[in-house]
Amino acid sequence: MEAREDFDGGGGVAAAEIRGGVLFLRWAAGGGREFHPLWLRDNCPCEKCRHPNGQKLTNITDLPADVRISSAESDGNGGVCVVFAPENHEAHFDGEWLRGFAAAAAPPPQTLWDDSQPSVADIAREYESVAGGGKMLAEWLELIVRYGCAVLRGAPAREGEVCRVAEWFGFVRETNYGRLFDVRAVASPNNLAYTGMGLSVHTDNPYRDPPPGLQLLHCLQNAASGGKSVLVDGFAAAEMLREENPEHFRQLSERALPFHFSDGNCDLRSRFPVIETAGESEIRAVRFNNRSLAAAEIPADEAGAYYSAYRRFAEMLFNEAPALRFKMCAGDLFIVNNNRVLHGRDAFSGGGGRHLQGCYADLDSLLSQWRVLRREQKQKEKQ
């Protein structure tokens, strides 16, 4: 793609040429790109094809199947005028939009925890500065987008605060655990999280479809012994596995496993691959939770190869993948991209002195707010 995530304009159309039925545009900033006529017609920005709110007014079935370009020329101001046959439909495209549209559609920038592993200090910000919104909130959200997690220091140690933080960028996703849930040792737990036992790193709620995109945990009190939190970059581990053994990676990305959780009030089930991919290379999600993995129907002659891959990936997640380990103090809050960063904890004792509250939210709302804040910041910088 000619466009990049940090595309900032300045390279409209210098010349237009029809080559073999497709439109070739040469950019003023150098280089060029081809555009298919049907793609251009489908993205026509004229008032007949697009509402002022930006939404399309046409369906693909409204367009001729044999769309072709009858003429195209630069408008001299960085844009291009295109006439489509057989409709004789004229469209004017902004050249900077054509060059930069892919930036908006590209996956958000991500930094794997390999050679660029962050420290806790790198991803931590002070509650008071972020709570003010604007640039500091955008910076904190950027950490979550890039590294898959972030920390707040000094949040008020009051009940429900974790939900208020989630509302800085979106909406709390309520589940069978409630709008928010208390993480502390109880007498009759329906989940091992409500014990003092250590929890191996995992993603939450893989038995939902879709699982929550974000989890937030806020420490109200922690006088217990032990109980350090552990965060692991699942994407970095998946890339390690792909490099070490592509067949193992294929096994975990092609076979969907069943996940299950039930108690007296619910019976939740889903099926996902441990490593979800899009296309040939993009990793979309890691779903790993041994406590919630149900009995998988794997043919006997394939089970050995699959479990070999599953075991190796677990070894990487538990012992080899880049990880952050820290003990939460009252007022600390961390948030993880639940599609990417696994979390766990060491065992602890003196459970009555450890009280965390958590909630779930959706990743799309966070990404939306991050984009809006970035756009506002760029507009301010241009003024």
Side-chain angles (χ1 to χ4, degrees):
M1 285 288 186
E2 194 66 35
R4 303 183 311 277
E5 178 64 30
D6 61 350
F7 177 80
D8 57 4
V13 176
E17 180 183 352
I18 302 172
R19 296 180 179 179
V22 301
L23 178 64
F24 177 79
L25 299 179
R26 182 164 55 83
W27 310 122
R33 182 174 176 178
E34 292 182 335
F35 293 87
H36 191 277
L38 189 54
W39 184 94
L40 287 165
R41 182 65 186 86
D42 185 40
N43 288 282
C44 175
C46 81
E47 61 182 12
K48 294 181 180 179
C49 298
R50 196 171 291 270
H51 191 275
N53 67 11
Q55 293 183 313
K56 288 183 181 179
L57 297 172
T58 57
N59 290 308
I60 188 65
T61 52
D62 298 326
L63 309 181
D66 58 345
V67 169
R68 58 190 184 279
I69 299 172
S70 58
S71 67
E73 60 181 14
S74 169
D75 65 4
N77 293 310
V80 61
C81 294
V82 181
V83 178
F84 298 95
E87 309 165 272
N88 198 37
H89 183 88
E90 184 173 341
H92 179 267
F93 293 91
D94 179 84
E96 290 192 358
W97 180 84
L98 284 173
R99 183 166 176 255
F101 80 91
Q110 295 181 333
T111 301
L112 299 188
W113 305 2
D114 39 36
D115 295 335
S116 303
Q117 179 178 352
S119 66
V120 175
D122 291 332
I123 61 170
R125 296 294 183 270
E126 291 299 317
Y127 173 93
E128 287 298 332
S129 63
V130 178
K135 183 178 180 180
M136 295 306 295
L137 175 58
E139 181 180 303
W140 189 65
L141 297 180
E142 172 82 16
L143 294 173
I144 304 165
V145 172
R146 187 170 295 279
Y147 294 109
C149 62
V151 174
L152 284 179
R153 301 289 199 194
R158 60 191 177 200
E159 296 203 6
E161 184 63 30
V162 68
C163 293
R164 286 183 277 271
V165 171
E167 289 167 350
W168 290 352
F169 57 79
F171 310 92
V172 174
R173 178 172 171 184
E174 190 165 348
T175 70
N176 60 297
Y177 300 111
R179 176 174 166 81
L180 79 164
F181 48 88
D182 293 281
V183 183
R184 53 188 170 191
V186 298
S188 300
N190 68 343
N191 192 304
L192 293 181
Y194 306 142
T195 71
M197 297 174 61
L199 301 176
S200 57
V201 293
H202 58 281
T203 58
D204 259 28
N205 290 202
Y207 39 77
R208 298 185 189 279
D209 190 1
L214 298 164
Q215 181 179 16
L216 296 83
L217 279 175
H218 177 214
C219 182
L220 302 181
Q221 179 186 11
N222 193 1
S225 177
K228 281 189 176 181
S229 297
V230 185
L231 305 181
V232 172
D233 187 354
F235 283 10
E239 290 293 359
M240 289 168 57
L241 184 72
R242 173 154 49 189
E243 181 176 354
E244 176 186 281
N245 192 321
E247 176 58 20
H248 280 175
F249 185 92
R250 186 191 69 78
Q251 288 276 355
L252 298 186
S253 61
E254 292 187 358
R255 184 183 297 277
L257 296 184
F259 294 92
H260 180 213
F261 175 84
S262 65
D263 60 15
N265 300 310
C266 66
D267 190 328
L268 295 162
R269 301 170 187 265
S270 70
R271 292 177 60 85
F272 291 110
V274 172
I275 301 173
E276 181 182 333
T277 60
E280 295 183 359
S281 60
E282 182 186 353
I283 298 173
R284 292 291 304 276
V286 170
R287 296 188 174 94
F288 187 95
N289 189 319
N290 194 62
R291 290 174 288 131
S292 301
L293 182 62
E297 185 176 345
I298 305 176
D301 61 345
E302 300 175 14
Y306 188 85
Y307 272 99
S308 177
Y310 186 68
R311 174 188 289 272
R312 183 62 187 127
F313 190 49
E315 290 172 346
M316 287 181 167
L317 291 171
F318 297 162
N319 303 313
E320 300 173 29
L324 295 176
R325 184 181 296 272
F326 57 98
K327 184 168 182 175
M328 297 185 74
C329 300
D332 288 347
L333 181 151
F334 76 73
I335 179 173
V336 295
N337 176 345
N338 190 49
N339 295 318
R340 172 182 172 182
V341 173
L342 293 78
H343 65 283
R345 68 160 189 248
D346 296 338
F348 64 88
S349 58
R354 188 180 192 272
H355 182 194
L356 277 60
Q357 282 193 325
C359 72
Y360 297 116
D362 291 318
L363 183 60
D364 59 353
S365 293
L366 184 147
L367 292 172
S368 171
Q369 182 67 7
W370 168 68
R371 294 186 186 104
V372 168
L373 291 171
R374 282 204 322 161
R375 184 175 64 207
E376 292 175 351
Q377 188 64 32
K378 288 182 178 181
Q379 290 172 346
K380 288 181 180 179
E381 292 172 354
K382 290 180 179 180
Q383 293 175 353

